Amino acid sequence: MFEITDTAKDEIRTYFTQNDPAPVRVFIANGCGGPMLALGLDEEREGDQVIAVEELTFVIDTELLEKAKPVVVDFAEQGFSLTSSLVFEDRGTGGCGSCCGC
């Protein structure tokens, strides 16, 4: 299951009014607080699940989606947030000094 809130859809649509549309990839990134789900522009790859949400296209590795579902993409004042069933190892504050201060 993959869900994107209306607020997140609107923010991505706004971005694409001034940039060429491209698939939005959901992936695991290594942040200062440890691994987390993130978004980035990419192309479809072999082994991806392609998810069309209205005129927007999202891609996510099929294996990652199976482990992470449900995945929910939201947007608030702080930016995009992704929630899922994944549980990442607690890595404390990371290398920058505070978990969310980067």
Side-chain angles (χ1 to χ4, degrees):
M1 175 186 192
F2 182 87
E3 180 182 335
I4 179 167
T5 66
D6 289 338
T7 307
K9 285 188 279 192
D10 290 344
E11 192 66 24
I12 293 171
R13 283 186 190 112
T14 299
Y15 174 81
F16 285 139
T17 62
Q18 297 182 6
N19 297 281
D20 292 333
V24 178
R25 177 166 297 279
V26 177
F27 65 100
I28 296 177
N30 289 312
C32 64
M36 61 185 177
L37 286 179
L39 298 176
L41 300 181
D42 201 1
E43 297 178 358
E44 181 183 345
R45 300 180 197 157
E46 188 175 326
D48 280 345
Q49 179 76 36
V50 179
I51 302 163
V53 179
E54 298 167 16
E55 75 282 5
L56 304 174
T57 302
F58 294 84
V59 292
I60 183 170
D61 179 83
T62 301
E63 191 174 312
L64 174 59
L65 180 60
E66 287 301 312
K67 291 178 183 177
K69 67 182 178 181
V71 175
V72 179
V73 180
D74 195 9
F75 185 85
E77 288 181 25
Q78 305 85 357
F80 287 99
S81 66
L82 286 89
T83 55
S84 74
S85 63
L86 286 177
V87 177
F88 295 108
E89 179 182 323
D90 182 11
R91 296 200 175 203
T93 60
C96 67
S98 72
C99 178
C100 299
C102 294

